[in-house]
Amino acid sequence: MPTQFSGGCACGAIRYQCAAPPLAMYNCHCQSCQHAGGGAFAPLIVVAAPSLDVRGTPKRFFTQAIADSHSERCFCGECGSPLFVLGERTPDVILIHASSLDEPDWFKPVADIWTVSALPWANMDRHIPKVFKSPPLLEPEGEVTL
């Protein structure tokens, strides 16, 4: 796993550098990720917010993530590439879409999350844990709610 990494959108209008290694890597099966990414799940990298430097201005879309919380989806306004997810309840971390990495080969998810919403035709890796909702890293004070 790299100690720093970079990526950006398909057209190059938005670039980012992360100066720290990922805190975790997940395949998220929530409905919000399904809609935003156009697939059965979104491969996401969790990083400490202060370690991410973004060049360019992503477009933002606010969506209800769970019953009492919203998330902010960031994407390129030119090419539409999904880039980041910012959670209202977890302002200290940013989730990066692994598909936006310059070198995505090192992405290795540690769990499938939000499997409560997993589509029946999604092929999940049977070798990694399944988390029914959010993992503790993505819930303030260890709360797991729907």
Side-chain angles (χ1 to χ4, degrees):
M1 176 177 357
T3 57
Q4 56 184 358
F5 57 91
S6 61
C9 65
C11 72
I14 299 172
R15 298 285 307 153
Y16 63 82
Q17 286 274 117
C18 189
L23 301 173
M25 294 180 265
Y26 300 118
N27 288 329
C28 184
H29 295 265
C30 77
Q31 288 182 336
S32 182
C33 280
Q34 292 168 6
H35 290 150
F41 62 89
L44 300 172
I45 300 164
V46 183
V47 299
S51 68
L52 189 65
D53 179 39
V54 179
R55 307 284 178 188
T57 305
K59 293 277 186 180
R60 296 167 185 266
F61 174 75
F62 292 88
T63 183
Q64 181 136 1
I66 54 178
D68 62 346
S69 178
H70 292 83
S71 68
E72 185 177 353
R73 298 274 172 182
C74 300
F75 60 95
C76 177
E78 297 297 318
C79 66
S81 297
L83 297 167
F84 315 113
V85 182
L86 296 90
E88 179 178 72
R89 295 167 44 143
T90 54
D92 297 338
V93 298
I94 295 175
L95 287 74
I96 300 172
H97 280 263
S99 58
S100 69
L101 292 169
D102 287 339
E103 297 176 20
D105 293 352
W106 59 263
F107 176 78
K108 302 273 188 282
V110 297
D112 283 301
I113 64 173
W114 280 97
T115 58
V116 65
S117 315
L119 296 169
W121 47 267
N123 290 320
M124 288 189 252
D125 183 341
R126 66 174 195 242
H127 301 293
I128 59 175
K130 309 298 175 250
V131 180
F132 195 62
K133 294 181 184 173
S134 285
L137 180 61
L138 298 180
E139 286 296 330
E141 301 169 18
E143 297 174 15
V144 178
T145 59
L146 180 64

